[in-house]
Amino acid sequence: MEGLYNIKCTVSYDGGNYGGYQLQDNAETIQQRLENALEKIVKKHTRTYASGRTDAGVHARGQVFHFLTETPIPEDKWAFAFNALLPDDIVVLTAQYVPHSFHSRFSAVEKVYRYCLWNRRVDDVFSRHYSWHIPYALDLDAMREAASYLIGEHDFTSFCSIRSAAGSKIRNIYEITIDEEEPGKIWLTFRGNGFLYNMVRIIVGTLVNVGAKKRIPRSIRDILAEKNRDLAGKTAPAKGLFLWEVKY
Amino acid sequence: MEGLYNIKCTVSYDGGNYGGYQLQDNAETIQQRLENALEKIVKKHTRTYASGRTDAGVHARGQVFHFLTETPIPEDKWAFAFNALLPDDIVVLTAQYVPHSFHSRFSAVEKVYRYCLWNRRVDDVFSRHYSWHIPYALDLDAMREAASYLIGEHDFTSFCSIRSAAGSKIRNIYEITIDEEEPGKIWLTFRGNGFLYNMVRIIVGTLVNVGAKKRIPRSIRDILAEKNRDLAGKTAPAKGLFLWEVKY
């Protein structure tokens, strides 16, 4: 693989105008925009590989992708080259040369997702594309107790879209924190070794039920044990979710 | 004026899709949207009066307007009534019955504007509609010194659009603070008894010149003294500016 370089990039995007990260025939996607830009830079169609897909409407602060190329642009110029060709809702933040053993998806050891709730009677015009508006009171301590039952290695079938094609539904959640950044602006932060299709959004939908006293915190244990998606809450809206960081 | 109520409202808006606050023939405006909603609520065209106009693209966290009406809706229902009829980029936050002596513009004793700079090499996708991206280094201490020369009562002709129709150009700035909320996210906060047309944006454009070492801080004194708009910096983009609060 002499003369072939492996480039790792972090990219931030506002998912609001896209049909998700991954290439598809009938919608604009982040990957398509990245590969269009890359083709112009290296004068050759080049496949990119991300840490994982994000759904339609989901945002990223630190998605990671990599690609192999023969074009040796100076490391600090890659981001400029991409950003000059990308729309303003996709921004490449960093780029670096990495060993060929690095793979955005298979080398990842931890992912961090964050979900934002706007919990006041009226919605906030400046957060409306980046949070889920919950106009009723939430008991954050009840939500924290409920979240505690999800920590550790579990079969998350109950918190996974039935459309998931994943083989094993076992994942390990290291930590869930729930913090009020300013009055009414609540961040749920999830750290784990990986997350299934819609898993964070279904967990958020269920925790919000707990916060609203429609479920008791302990019910989360039973939902997990039953391995039945129908028992969990509804999938929270995509617009409040951010792929925050991928760790290697 | 028996049976005629004076209602004071605070309203937040994302100015990005509007030709400014004030009614005009050839653009969508905030006032038009508010009066359209109000007409549906009270079944009668009713004029509203704001604390002042904001330019095309400028945002508000706490603009204030008032109107007189014969329709006695309960105080806590006004905001809901408005919000049910407003687009999602305009939100009425509060409403209250006030004495007839209250006037949004003439009763105001202080206005607070805030301007947001995004000072990193690459722009932030989530702040891009709400800040001005400055990719080069800024000396915040030099900007603070420059700002200090603007405090107090001055003739601000040099920092006012030549299209201004204001009689007196004398205004009193009580305070200007410059704070880094997180690395690269810089807020300039202006408190004063009133601000002329484009005044905050021209001051910001000039302070950014100082931060970039294109002007020395003391030059602000000379610019003020000359009463000549051409000597100040360019008008900073509207999208970074927020009418934050109006005090009575």
Side-chain angles (χ1 to χ4, degrees), chain B:
Chain B
M1 293 195 284
E2 208 178 310
L4 195 61
Y5 304 95
N6 192 13
I7 316 290
K8 173 195 176 196
C9 296
T10 56
V11 59
S12 180
Y13 47 82
D14 179 336
N17 294 319
Y18 296 95
Y21 183 86
Q22 195 172 55
L23 290 181
Q24 48 180 288
D25 288 335
N26 46 10
E28 285 267 33
T29 66
I30 315 294
Q31 185 179 1
Q32 184 66 57
R33 293 302 190 106
L34 290 171
E35 293 190 358
N36 287 351
L38 183 55
E39 182 164 355
K40 288 189 181 130
I41 298 169
V42 304
K43 317 286 187 221
K44 180 177 172 180
H45 180 69
T46 302
R47 177 88 330 153
T48 61
Y49 302 89
S51 74
R53 62 183 81 176
T54 54
D55 285 346
V58 172
H59 313 295
R61 202 196 66 144
Q63 169 70 291
V64 173
F65 67 94
H66 76 281
F67 55 91
L68 297 166
T69 183
E70 294 163 350
T71 305
I73 291 176
E75 194 167 72
D76 63 345
K77 297 285 186 282
W78 276 108
F80 284 111
F82 269 110
N83 293 332
L85 297 165
L86 287 168
D88 73 352
D89 52 7
I90 305 177
V91 172
V92 171
L93 300 171
T94 65
Q96 59 184 125
Y97 287 87
V98 288
H100 283 90
S101 58
F102 176 86
H103 189 287
S104 297
R105 182 170 162 211
F106 301 118
S107 307
V109 295
E110 182 179 319
K111 282 192 180 175
V112 181
Y113 277 92
R114 298 188 79 191
Y115 196 99
C116 188
L117 302 176
W118 183 259
N119 187 29
R120 296 212 210 172
R121 271 175 50 165
V122 292
D123 202 0
D124 176 52
V125 294
F126 305 112
S127 306
R128 73 192 194 282
H129 296 310
Y130 308 110
S131 62
W132 180 20
H133 179 215
I134 305 287
Y136 43 83
L138 290 177
D139 180 338
L140 298 188
D141 282 331
M143 292 169 68
R144 290 185 184 106
E145 183 195 335
S148 72
Y149 299 117
L150 299 169
I151 305 303
E153 191 167 88
H154 300 284
D155 182 317
F156 284 98
T157 298
S158 295
F159 295 94
C160 172
S161 167
I162 55 165
R163 288 175 292 154
S164 167
S168 166
K169 302 288 171 39
I170 294 175
R171 294 292 183 277
N172 194 339
I173 297 186
Y174 306 139
E175 186 180 48
I176 302 174
T177 59
I178 301 177
D179 301 298
E180 197 159 7
E181 180 185 316
E182 57 180 89
K185 188 170 193 173
I186 296 161
W187 283 100
L188 295 90
T189 304
F190 299 81
R191 295 198 305 109
N193 67 347
F195 294 88
L196 297 159
Y197 187 31
N198 282 354
M199 179 170 151
V200 175
R201 291 164 59 191
I202 296 170
I203 292 175
V204 169
T206 312
L207 293 179
V208 164
N209 290 162
V210 171
K213 314 261 195 201
K214 290 182 196 155
R215 299 171 189 270
I216 60 170
R218 259 199 330 272
S219 68
I220 301 298
R221 273 199 309 212
D222 306 324
I223 297 170
L224 257 185
E226 291 290 333
K227 301 184 181 56
N228 179 352
R229 165 69 187 93
D230 293 339
L231 299 181
K234 72 170 185 175
T235 306
K239 66 179 187 167
L241 183 60
F242 296 73
L243 171 54
W244 203 260
E245 190 180 358
V246 186
K247 297 184 185 176
Y248 294 94

Side-chain angles (χ1 to χ4, degrees), chain A residues 130-146:
Chain A
Y130 308 110
S131 63
W132 181 19
H133 178 214
I134 305 286
Y136 43 82
L138 290 176
D139 180 338
L140 298 188
D141 282 331
M143 292 169 69
R144 290 185 185 107
E145 184 195 334

Side-chain angles (χ1 to χ4, degrees), chain A residues 82-99:
Chain A
F82 269 109
N83 293 332
L85 297 164
L86 287 167
D88 73 352
D89 50 9
I90 305 177
V91 172
V92 171
L93 299 171
T94 65
Q96 58 184 124
Y97 288 87
V98 289

